[in-house]
Amino acid sequence: MGTIHPLVAELDALRVGLGVPEQAVAEVTGTDAHEVSWWGIGLRTPSVQQTIAYAALLGRRIGFTDAGGEVVYVDQLHGDADDPVGRLMAVLEEHRDQLGWSRSRVAAEMGVSAAAASRWAAGKKPPSLASLTGYAAVLGWRTVLVVVDVPEPEQVPQPARGGPPKQPRSSARRRMLHPLVAHLEQTRTAMGVSQAQISRATGVHKNTVGRWSTGAKTPSVENLVDYARALGEDVFIGPLAEGPPPAPEAVRRGRILQEIDLVRGNRDLRRGGVPSRDDGTGPQWRQAAEEALAEEIRADCANRLTWAVTVRAVLARTLAVGDPADLRAEVLSAAAELIAWVEDLDARTGRRGGEHLGGQAGESEEGGGG
């Protein structure tokens, strides 16, 4: 695997968290799912245009922040939508002029030729994603993803390879607010409490609070309680109020999670709590990850993709991650893939998840690591 650009790594983690398939990203960026897979492990890097479209699909825009962390510019999806890359470069050029820097000086700081920088500024050749973020960094700005309302389909930028943009498949799901979060958001707005104040009360970043407000992310129970108490309210657990029944997929997944919880509890009874061990992951697994991904791509192209091939690729990619924070996200992604496999098994066998919660789950497990 190669080095993943920070913006791309953030988008890939967000995509996995939202459950947006790689094919949906491929549709709005004018490429294919295989290419999106390469982006996720750093073997390829999307263009700036593709990154803008990718971000828009997930309810984000490209922005620049100053040294104080305040957003000083956010890419808009309206107006001069035909040239979003040129619009970003124009903002950087204006900032360069305000600083009194020559284009040659910026190019020298970046380690590129002045002619290359001039071509970017004139729109003759778009900069790469690394060049765009590097240009901003030299001028004292950091390139970030800013939370916005999910755009309507017609606002999504044109795909890089032409053709009309397609509507994101999961926009309704990404915009769905948890009822408690929706209530707290209404209360916060009515009281005039800022998201920065909620950020301090819950101990999370202000951008995360923004993601809660758009439905792009759901707060944990602890965060939800802190959010409520910051507004003088509290969260109570009690009988379900009358209302529409939960979606069938939510019921099925809930039963599967109950089974997992039971099996997990049985595991602790037999072997004790969670052992403290080294992860054993890192670069030594990269070749295995690349081979597993290549096998998945070949199987997909030949229309013979199986769960075994997909899960092997996901687990191999997880093993290649060394940083604990990134590793946790990958382990969760692998767990989500395994749960999807269980759901498919249940659908094909006609089984109702959780039907044997009376005490059978996990009792036949023998041996294995903890």
Side-chain angles (χ1 to χ4, degrees):
M1 290 188 296
T3 301
I4 307 176
H5 191 282
L7 283 182
V8 180
E10 187 175 350
L11 286 170
D12 190 60
L14 181 62
R15 177 191 65 76
V16 172
L18 294 175
V20 177
E22 291 175 340
Q23 183 58 43
V25 178
E27 289 175 359
V28 300
T29 56
T31 184
D32 54 52
H34 301 149
E35 179 77 9
V36 177
S37 295
W38 294 122
W39 296 347
I41 61 173
L43 292 180
R44 302 274 179 81
T45 301
S47 67
V48 179
Q49 175 92 357
Q50 289 172 321
T51 305
I52 291 172
Y54 192 170
L57 173 66
L58 303 182
R60 302 294 186 273
R61 288 179 183 157
I62 304 298
F64 298 121
T65 64
D66 58 17
E70 292 296 320
V71 177
V72 293
Y73 175 79
V74 179
D75 169 50
Q76 300 297 319
L77 296 178
H78 52 75
D80 187 15
D82 290 336
D83 187 21
V85 182
R87 196 164 59 245
L88 289 168
M89 281 304 304
V91 172
L92 292 177
E93 283 290 285
E94 180 181 358
H95 186 44
R96 179 184 61 75
D97 286 338
Q98 291 173 348
L99 293 175
W101 285 31
S102 68
R103 195 174 294 133
S104 298
R105 177 181 176 183
V106 176
E109 292 282 346
M110 292 179 64
V112 301
S113 68
S118 295
R119 285 194 293 270
W120 300 338
K124 295 180 179 179
K125 182 179 180 180
S128 67
L129 183 59
S131 296
L132 178 78
T133 56
Y135 204 119
V138 168
L139 298 176
W141 280 358
R142 188 164 63 93
T143 310
V144 296
L145 298 175
V146 182
V147 180
V148 296
D149 290 333
V150 178
E152 296 301 323
E154 62 269 21
Q155 292 178 301
V156 177
Q158 292 285 335
R161 296 184 183 177
K166 299 184 180 180
Q167 180 176 358
R169 295 179 178 178
S170 53
S171 59
R173 176 171 57 183
R174 288 185 285 107
R175 299 190 70 171
M176 188 179 299
L177 278 175
H178 188 284
L180 284 176
V181 179
H183 166 74
L184 292 174
E185 273 296 296
Q186 290 177 352
T187 303
R188 180 187 65 79
T189 303
M191 293 176 62
V193 177
S194 69
Q195 291 184 343
Q197 290 174 289
I198 300 300
S199 170
R200 290 191 291 271
T202 57
V204 303
H205 195 276
K206 183 172 64 175
N207 287 350
T208 300
V209 178
R211 294 187 181 101
W212 296 346
S213 69
T214 63
K217 188 177 180 65
T218 301
S220 66
V221 174
E222 293 80 6
N223 291 152
L224 199 62
V225 170
D226 291 338
Y227 192 166
R229 289 177 178 172
L231 301 177
E233 299 187 0
D234 211 335
V235 177
F236 298 94
I237 299 176
L240 289 174
E242 292 185 3
E249 60 270 20
V251 174
R252 290 194 300 270
R253 191 161 300 159
R255 288 170 175 162
I256 291 172
L257 292 176
Q258 282 183 295
E259 285 190 86
I260 292 173
D261 187 57
L262 181 60
V263 173
R264 181 70 179 82
N266 287 343
R267 181 252 176 232
D268 283 354
L269 288 174
R270 292 192 306 275
R271 307 177 193 170
V274 178
S276 178
R277 299 174 180 167
D278 290 336
D279 296 315
T281 62
Q284 68 271 23
W285 293 97
R286 284 180 179 173
Q287 183 176 351
E290 292 173 6
E291 292 173 353
L293 179 59
E295 181 185 354
E296 184 184 30
I297 291 174
R298 286 194 298 269
D300 192 19
C301 290
N303 197 28
R304 52 179 179 81
L305 192 61
T306 64
W307 279 109
V309 171
T310 297
V311 169
R312 177 174 178 263
V314 171
L315 292 177
R317 185 174 72 175
T318 301
L319 293 178
V321 177
D323 180 73
D326 294 338
L327 178 59
R328 186 180 188 278
E330 289 295 341
V331 171
L332 287 174
S333 176
E337 199 70 52
L338 289 169
I339 290 175
W341 191 358
V342 173
E343 290 178 302
D344 187 40
L345 282 168
D346 288 350
R348 285 185 280 124
T349 60
R351 179 194 182 103
R352 295 175 67 237
E355 63 186 9
H356 62 286
L357 289 176
Q360 301 299 317
E363 291 183 0
S364 62
E365 182 183 357
E366 297 291 341

